[in-house]
Amino acid sequence: MSSELVIVYHRQPYEEVEVDGRIEYRENKSPNGIVPTLKSFFGKVKNASWVAWKEAEDTSNPGFDRVVHIEDSFGKYTVSRLPLTKEQVSSFYHVTSKEAFWPILHGFKEKYNYDPVDWPTFREVNWAFAEAAAAEAAQGASVWVHDYNLWLVPGYLRQLRPDVRISFYHHTPFPSADMFNVLPWRGEIIDSLLAADVVGFHIPRYAANFVSCVRSQHDVGNVPRVRVPDDLVTEGSALSDRTVPTEIHMSDGHVVHLGVTPVGVDVDYIDGLAASDETAELAKRFRAEVGDGKMLLSVGRTDYTKGGADQLLAFERLLERRPDLHEQVRLLHVSVSANRAMTVYEPIQKELEEIAGRINGRFGSFSFQPVALISRAVPFEELVAWYQVSDVAWITPLADGMNLVCKEFISARRDGDGVLVLSEFAGAAVELGAAVMTNPFSSRAMDHAIDLAIDMPEDERRARMKLLRAAVAKRDTHHWAADQLALLSPKDFGDDSGAAA
Ligand code: GDG
């Protein structure tokens, strides 16, 4: 009970490696995803903890140290590991979170699978997370909970520790009431979130959707709004609200602050990698492999929300429509499965393989394959070199909370060239108005955007990239961290303008 800051995130913040029968905790330096960003907070707070789960065969006697003390380049911190059985992990994460919540959060009602959900197990696991956080938190500490698989933690934690400040951040979109209310546990989830002091989102629209869900269940009266800062909604932004709700006043006097702070990438780290001799070597090699033609790049997890199949179909239509591009354009489609054990992703993997195979069969030759489909993780250093070599980053998710890949691509383009084609339904479309926006649900819009990107003159490419680089540099991971710390710290809670910045 000594940490001023407790981060509750389902994954552990390091890699465990067995060396001579002993477990070593290795820092994972990769900037991918959110873990390093969260760890950067440990340098700013003296006593900090992280709560995560770890699989154990027997949870009463897990066979591992429940609490470990880590010291790495991010600082000193404690990690509290919740022992969960394989069945608990599968039920709370793979089934309830991924088969029931994930489709609803991303607007895919038809993929929503209610039947296998075991709600008592979801409650039990969330309760265990809340207990572990309560055990770590000092009096009046800030506890920061991440993502929908821990939706019930704020409510439980409030019961266990009325003294702590609780912030909950959503990395996914937050859907409107008509979509969210499909979840039969909607009342319990909303009530838990309303027990927090801060509920955080990437973009204004998600905060507004959250308010619509709250309103569908509670009479919360007037919800104040402020104008969204100009640098958040840039010119050309797709589908952004210009005002944002700031706080919800509950009838018992409790105030829930709504924080809108888009996650950024570590621009300095990526820039450093992009400037290194090793990356220059790799980029030279890749450029030689690509030859004179145009190179399109797509990177994302294998997930129906990422729109991989629609994009490959758009590439097939491009080759049908434009014989001038035969043997002149290639697509590198990196689609990595987050978890091969999850059967829900099998059909999409098969579909990608089928379309890519067909395109290569129709338009390829022995020496030239228009699509390279990579289904294994590419080392980040190589990814940065590919970002540099590509003419177009083609990022067209059907729904995406933010999308960090497009921001990584922009950060890697020290040469100021390259085109970003971006889905209007990625959260990043709010900040990145200078991208070529497209609607991945429309074949015509997808065809138009890719033609525009491939044929774009250099001066226009550079003008757009300049704006994109400025936007990404402004709201990088440090900006997000500073905003979030301000929201977590009680002294800023009286200031409404801070809640929307
Ligand atoms: C969730 C939300 C939100 C991908 N392939 C490889 C690889 N990656 C890395 C990318 C990037 C990360 O994975 C993916 O981040 P995204 O933001 O695109 O997507 P999600 O994993 O769905 O994350 C999302 C995010 O949370 C943060 O709030 O933006 O909307 O869904 O960093 O580089 N990395 C390597 N090899 C690969 O092959 N090394």
Side-chain angles (χ1 to χ4, degrees), residues 32-33 171 202 301 306 336 377-378 380 400-404 408:
N32 305 346
H171 292 271
H202 286 297
R301 276 185 305 98
K306 300 285 180 184
V336 187
V378 174
F380 193 70
D400 212 337
M402 173 50 50
N403 191 285
L404 297 179
E408 292 166 0

Side-chain angles (χ1 to χ4, degrees), residues 341-355:
M342 286 168 70
T343 47
V344 52
Y345 296 122
E346 269 170 23
I348 170 77
Q349 175 68 24
K350 282 217 176 80
E351 197 182 4
L352 296 179
E353 286 168 7
E354 188 190 306
I355 305 172

